[in-house]
């Protein structure tokens, strides 16, 4: 039982950003609900953090009934409170849009968008019951401007960013804060092999450790800031894409590997 400890419910907690967030919040004395489809990773995490600090459960975020059951199991263990819902689970499948398997397109939409919608919808009662609660979601730097090669992934992250903005207004009436993080290149298993080694050493596309996102989740709870960028330079990309989308389109096209229609 969490008794009076603050609590965080994390999806995609078995590895990468979710795992680092679980570690950080457990170290801060919070009760952690760690959820993922990777049961082996969850068991390893619980062994590291201790069962008194961490409740684990397999969760398919695309299954509304499963999500509801996970929250039902979490609530009594967390003393009926949910200080942060961290919608972090996501998958990345890319390629040229007209060459992608339809099943991959659907899977990306189901996990990256529907999983977020389900999670927020089902968690609202717990968030409302917890003073100063935060609904926090992982968006992406690809939500600044649609990115070739990951068009559907990018579209889902644009949707998450827009949802965050809308709910940040709506949820004021029920006392729930809403924010998101737009990470750039984060060294996690979602990246293709060799991506980190090939990344520049400086600038907005440098590889960042997953712990940098975990730190942002912690800072977001102490703040009323809406969008968080990792690294912070991604914010400049967001501004540029908004002010001059045509110029951004041409710049992206020049750097794209998807110009050949064959």
């Amino acid at each position: 039982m969490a008794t009076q400890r603050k609590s965080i419910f994390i999806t995609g907690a078995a590895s990468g950003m979710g795992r680092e967030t679980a570690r950080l919040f457990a170290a801060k004395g919070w009760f952690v609900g760690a959820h993922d489809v990777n049961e082996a990773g969850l068991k390893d995490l619980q062994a590291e953090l201790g069962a008194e600090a961490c409740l684990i459960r397999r969760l398919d975020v695309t299954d509304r009934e499963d999500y509801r059951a996970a929250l039902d199991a979490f609530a009594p263990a967390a003393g009926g409170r949910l200080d942060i819902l961290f919608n972090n689970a996501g998958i990345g499948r890319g390629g040229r849009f007209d060459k992608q398997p339809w099943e991959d397109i659907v899977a990306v939409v189901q996990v990256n968008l529907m999983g977020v919608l389900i999670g927020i919808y089902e968690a609202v009662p717990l968030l409302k019951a917890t003073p100063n609660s935060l609904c926090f979601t992982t968006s992406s730097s690809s939500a600044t401007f649609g990115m070739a090669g990951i068009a559907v992934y990018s579209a889902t992250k644009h949707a998450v960013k827009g949802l965050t903005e809308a709910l940040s207004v709506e949820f004021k009436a029920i006392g729930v804060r809403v924010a998101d993080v737009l990470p750039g290149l984060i060294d996690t298993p979602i990246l293709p092999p060799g991506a980190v080694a090939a990344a520049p050493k400086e600038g907005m596309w440098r590889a960042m450790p997953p712990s940098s996102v975990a730190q942002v989740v912690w800072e977001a709870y102490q703040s009323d800031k809406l969008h968080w960028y990792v690294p912070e330079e991604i914010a400049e990309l967001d501004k540029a894409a908004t002010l001059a989308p045509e110029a951004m389109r041409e710049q992206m096209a020049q750097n794209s590997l998807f110009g050949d229609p064959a």
Side-chain angles (χ1 to χ4, degrees):
M1 293 290 294
T3 61
Q4 297 304 308
R5 283 183 289 175
K6 290 183 178 179
S7 66
I8 181 170
F9 185 106
I10 306 172
T11 64
S15 63
M17 299 181 298
R19 188 183 186 95
E20 289 301 319
T21 301
R23 285 170 168 162
L24 175 61
F25 277 78
K28 299 283 189 180
W30 284 45
F31 183 70
V32 176
H35 302 81
D36 206 302
V37 292
N38 178 0
E39 294 182 84
L42 290 177
K43 290 177 181 178
D44 182 65
L45 176 65
Q46 189 179 54
E48 175 186 341
L49 302 183
E52 71 285 350
C54 180
L55 173 72
I56 63 170
R57 186 186 185 280
R58 186 188 188 281
L59 170 60
D60 175 359
V61 296
T62 70
D63 184 334
R64 186 179 171 193
E65 294 299 324
D66 195 28
Y67 214 127
R68 185 180 299 148
L71 286 165
D72 286 345
F74 173 80
R81 65 185 301 147
L82 176 55
D83 295 275
I84 301 179
L85 170 68
F86 184 24
N87 296 293
N88 173 64
I91 60 173
R93 298 178 187 174
R96 210 173 80 181
F97 179 78
D98 60 329
K99 301 294 185 182
Q100 271 193 278
W102 179 249
E103 293 75 15
D104 282 1
I105 289 173
V106 171
V108 169
V109 172
Q110 287 294 318
V111 175
N112 295 359
L113 178 55
M114 291 304 300
V116 171
L117 291 171
I118 291 169
I120 296 174
Y121 193 85
E122 295 300 328
V124 163
L126 274 177
L127 290 168
K128 286 173 62 177
T130 309
N132 199 41
S133 61
L134 173 65
C135 175
F136 196 75
T137 305
T138 298
S139 181
S140 167
S141 58
S142 69
T144 59
F145 191 88
M147 295 190 180
I150 53 170
V152 178
Y153 177 89
S154 181
T156 63
K157 296 304 184 176
H158 272 79
V160 164
K161 185 170 182 266
L163 179 70
T164 297
E165 292 168 353
L167 294 184
S168 72
V169 177
E170 287 191 25
F171 283 9
K172 273 184 172 292
I174 58 174
V176 176
R177 297 176 296 133
V178 185
D180 62 13
V181 59
L182 287 78
L185 191 67
I186 309 297
D187 188 3
T188 69
I190 200 173
L191 292 179
V196 172
K201 302 303 180 186
E202 299 179 347
M204 70 175 69
W205 299 120
R206 66 187 183 276
M208 299 288 289
S211 58
S212 61
V213 174
Q215 183 61 36
V216 156
V217 182
W218 176 255
E219 292 174 7
Y221 184 73
Q222 326 298 326
S223 169
D224 198 37
K225 185 175 175 180
L226 181 60
H227 297 305
W228 296 78
Y229 300 88
V230 180
E232 293 183 357
E233 294 94 318
I234 298 293
E236 297 305 314
L237 179 65
D238 206 355
K239 292 177 184 177
T242 300
L243 294 173
E246 294 81 10
M248 183 63 69
R249 177 189 64 199
E250 296 309 310
Q251 180 181 340
M252 291 284 190
Q254 289 175 8
N255 297 328
S256 175
L257 301 176
F258 294 87
D260 184 359

